[in-house]
Amino acid sequence: MSDKEAFYVKLKDSLENTTKFPAEYLYKFIVPAIGNKVAEVEELFKGKSAKFATKASKTGKYISISIKVKLASSDEVITYYRKAEKIEGIISL
């Protein structure tokens, strides 16, 4: 099992034990400021009534994005992480 898969297994277990779904989940990502990365992240959550907050780093090289969204299950939480990891340069917190 890869480190990434182990992370998702651990995350699912943790969510199942601590969260009663449906629930609001808070994602935090950091993306490079160049390009259209913020729009790419926002596109992932299209149609989910997600609340977004963004903040540029002091140097202006990166943008942090917080997304609060109501999700139905731990599997749905992980699905969005898997979609997000396809965005070049993204860091999940």
Side-chain angles (χ1 to χ4, degrees):
M1 181 183 298
S2 70
D3 288 347
K4 198 176 287 183
E5 286 306 311
F7 166 77
Y8 288 128
V9 168
K10 188 175 175 184
L11 176 62
K12 180 177 172 66
D13 188 49
S14 176
L15 288 169
E16 297 285 331
N17 290 319
T18 61
T19 309
K20 188 176 188 317
F21 288 96
E24 275 210 336
Y25 188 80
L26 178 65
Y27 290 93
K28 290 188 175 231
F29 299 112
I30 295 174
V31 294
I34 55 169
N36 212 3
K37 303 300 181 190
V38 173
E40 286 183 53
V41 173
E42 289 176 349
E43 184 68 24
L44 295 177
F45 296 91
K46 193 174 174 184
K48 287 300 286 185
S49 301
K51 296 179 190 105
F52 294 90
T54 58
K55 183 180 175 191
S57 66
K58 285 181 184 172
T59 61
K61 291 181 181 178
Y62 298 96
I63 299 171
S64 70
I65 309 167
S66 297
I67 304 113
K68 201 177 261 188
V69 62
K70 191 167 192 168
L71 300 173
S73 68
S74 58
D75 289 328
E76 193 174 13
V77 170
I78 291 167
T79 295
Y80 283 104
Y81 275 119
R82 289 186 186 276
K83 288 179 183 179
E85 72 187 25
K86 290 179 174 71
I87 296 172
E88 188 179 333
I90 195 166
I91 299 167
S92 298
L93 301 178

